[in-house]
Amino acid sequence: MIRTLGPTFLRPRFLVADVVRALTLVSLVVATIGWGGTAFPVMALCLLGVVVPRMLGLRPAFDVLVCVLVLVAGWSSVLEWYTSVFLWDKVVHVLLTGLLAAVAYVIAADLRVVRPATDSPLGVVVIVTAVAAFGIGAVWEIGEWAGHTYVDSAIFVGYVDTIGDLAADGLGGVLAGFGLPWLAARRSVVRPGA
């Protein structure tokens, strides 16, 4: 896996995304103190979500998009926007799940599980959608159900919501699949000892 943490911290190329990463760390503390309950695990998951793109050395625009959307998604959960803002849940599912599916494809390509995004554009769309987006969506929906069942019954779950979320995840996967050759281009590769 590509390593870009440490010696490249706060370099101009990564500065905007690094600021969002710092805001995510601050948000973890603020949300935990201010909202408690499920805010800590949600924001801790966000912290993981903003660190992984940095480790992969993604192009700055891709990195910033993922970081901003992860942070927005975390605060949307803490502030309960998913249940209070019409269709907000679906918008976040399309955008964030699509980008996370693209990140998953980059990781799989680095591990040589799949071919690079430029090799077979239609194959990339199918894999990003069918495997990554629907896989991420299914795990997320299971997490919502487990959270509702075992942690806090206020976490909204329901058949129609789950199917709608998975459909939005699929749409996000298709969009990310078509955009992946651009998203995954010009990565910043820093090897150990470099």
Side-chain angles (χ1 to χ4, degrees), residues 149-163:
T149 304
Y150 300 110
V151 178
D152 184 355
S153 61
I155 296 172
F156 181 74
V157 294
Y159 182 76
V160 173
D161 177 62
T162 297
I163 296 303

Side-chain angles (χ1 to χ4, degrees), residues 97-129:
T97 303
L99 286 175
L100 293 179
V103 169
Y105 192 95
V106 168
I107 293 169
D110 282 356
L111 296 172
R112 295 189 171 98
V113 173
V114 296
R115 297 166 75 166
T118 54
D119 283 3
S120 172
L122 188 55
V124 168
V125 172
V126 170
I127 291 171
V128 168
T129 304

Side-chain angles (χ1 to χ4, degrees), residues 162-181:
T162 297
I163 296 303
D165 289 352
L166 289 173
D169 296 335
L171 176 59
V174 169
L175 296 173
F178 280 115
L180 191 58

Side-chain angles (χ1 to χ4, degrees), residues 8-9 30 32 59 65 71-72 74 78 97 104 108-109 113 115 117 165 168:
T8 63
F9 188 67
V30 171
T32 301
R59 75 183 305 159
L65 276 173
L71 184 58
V72 166
V78 171
T97 303
V113 173
R115 297 166 75 166
D165 289 352

Side-chain angles (χ1 to χ4, degrees), residues 25-50:
L25 181 59
V26 170
S27 293
L28 172 67
V29 175
V30 171
T32 301
I33 292 170
W35 286 266
T38 58
F40 175 77
V42 166
M43 296 310 286
L45 189 59
C46 289
L47 195 55
L48 173 66
V50 299

